[in-house]
């Protein structure tokens, strides 16, 4: 089986609320002035805690937690200044950080991601979509090969 690095962001809470924050939403949209530092601190602690948990369990991930934190910082309105972001990041690193999910929940999220990734790759290899006169045409040769293989 080929080596697979897991996106760190899929190991963060999505619909679950962690201290009133939807962590993946923060990575996508940032935060508004007045909440940026507090939200950034909680996000950074969760990123570090989650990455530590993945590392302890020998699960490769990408990108590095600081890269995701920096993504959050530039998406804030207005964006956090680099010095402000550095202050938050250094503050977070002073104490042990913990993931908002337990390892079982993170493992389930990884399994779902791998399953979705596998089925998406399978379908992309199986179907060759061709747009002709507004109709979608299936690559019959690929479909027949798949039928005989499985």
């Amino acid at each position: 089986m080929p080596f697979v690095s897991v996106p760190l962001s899929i190991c963060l809470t999505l619909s679950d609320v962690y201290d009133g924050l939807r962590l993946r939403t923060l990575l996508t949209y940032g935060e508004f002035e007045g909440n940026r530092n507090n939200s950034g601190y909680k996000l950074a602690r969760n990123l570090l805690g989650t990455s530590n948990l993945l590392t302890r369990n020998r699960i490769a991930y990408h990108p590095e937690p600081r890269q995701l934190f920096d993504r959050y910082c530039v998406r804030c309105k207005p964006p956090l200044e680099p010095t402000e972001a550095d202050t938050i990041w250094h503050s977070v690193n002073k104490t042990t950080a913990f993931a908002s999910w337990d390892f079982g929940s993170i493992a389930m999220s990884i399994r779902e991601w791998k399953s979705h990734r596998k089925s998406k790759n399978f379908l992309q290899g199986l179907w060759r979509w061709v747009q002709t006169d507004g109709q979608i045409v299936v690559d019959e040769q690929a479909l027949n090969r798949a039928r005989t293989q499985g």
Side-chain angles (χ1 to χ4, degrees):
M1 176 177 245
F3 171 77
V4 177
S5 176
V6 175
L8 180 57
S9 61
I10 67 148
C11 300
L12 302 176
T13 56
L14 175 61
S15 58
D16 293 337
V17 177
Y18 174 68
D19 277 354
L21 298 174
R22 296 187 186 280
L23 295 173
R24 287 199 224 172
T25 302
L26 290 176
L27 291 173
T28 304
Y29 300 107
E31 183 62 274
F32 291 101
E33 193 165 22
N35 295 320
R36 298 174 306 161
N37 291 10
N38 190 40
S39 295
Y41 181 84
K42 291 175 182 177
L43 174 64
R45 285 191 58 77
N46 192 26
L47 287 168
L48 285 173
T50 301
S51 66
N52 290 339
L53 184 61
L54 292 171
T55 300
R56 280 195 313 272
N57 287 279
R58 297 181 181 177
I59 297 173
Y61 61 87
H62 67 275
E64 289 298 313
R66 179 64 196 243
Q67 289 177 282
L68 288 178
F69 177 71
D70 288 341
R71 179 190 304 172
Y72 160 80
C73 292
V74 298
R75 292 181 177 175
C76 286
K77 290 138 192 86
L80 280 168
E81 295 293 326
T83 54
E84 203 172 1
D86 287 342
T87 300
I88 294 168
W89 189 256
H90 292 302
S91 178
V92 164
N93 279 285
K94 289 181 181 177
T95 60
T96 305
F98 298 97
S100 60
W101 272 355
D102 61 27
F103 183 70
S105 298
I106 290 173
M108 177 65 73
S109 183
I110 292 170
R111 275 193 295 277
E112 289 173 5
W113 173 78
K114 284 183 176 181
S115 175
H116 175 72
R117 186 173 172 267
K118 189 183 296 183
S119 66
K120 182 179 176 185
N121 288 342
F122 173 77
L123 289 175
Q124 286 175 345
L126 177 61
W127 302 97
R128 180 174 52 108
W129 301 104
V130 180
Q131 188 74 26
T132 55
D133 299 318
Q135 295 181 350
I136 295 175
V137 180
V138 175
D139 183 344
E140 292 294 329
Q141 290 177 341
L143 184 58
N144 289 333
R145 279 194 307 273
R147 286 181 182 144
T148 59
Q149 291 175 359

